[in-house]
Amino acid sequence: MATRTTRYLVDERGRKRAVLLDMKEYSRLLRRLEELEDTLALDEAVRTASGFRDYRDVRNEPQHQGQV
């Protein structure tokens, strides 16, 4: 992983108030956040679900005519 220098915006007293990110890094962080949110949603669905059916059972059921 490449070394990054963190850049901040500071106020008149020199206190850090914001972080500057380039667009590539910002996009990467957004994608990662979405992946984490999806993982949490899946974990919640599995935790609260009842009556899962095995995929092989569903796949082997007769299909209605005209559907794939």
Side-chain angles (χ1 to χ4, degrees):
M1 187 164 151
T3 302
R4 293 186 180 95
T5 301
T6 306
R7 297 180 305 165
Y8 302 98
L9 290 177
V10 296
D11 64 14
E12 58 280 347
R13 292 184 175 185
R15 294 179 294 200
K16 297 174 186 171
R17 294 298 181 188
V19 177
L20 293 174
L21 300 172
D22 63 23
M23 290 304 296
K24 185 176 180 179
E25 181 68 6
Y26 176 72
S27 295
R28 188 190 73 76
L29 288 173
L30 282 181
R31 279 193 310 275
R32 184 69 175 128
L33 178 60
E34 289 170 358
E35 291 170 0
L36 290 171
E37 289 172 337
D38 291 347
T39 300
L40 290 173
L42 179 60
D43 287 347
E44 179 67 13
V46 168
R47 188 180 66 76
T48 61
S50 60
F52 274 114
R53 295 174 56 201
D54 190 281
Y55 169 76
R56 289 171 293 228
D57 295 339
V58 173
R59 182 71 178 131
N60 291 330
E61 289 178 359
Q63 298 176 357
H64 294 291
Q65 189 174 14
Q67 293 181 340
V68 178

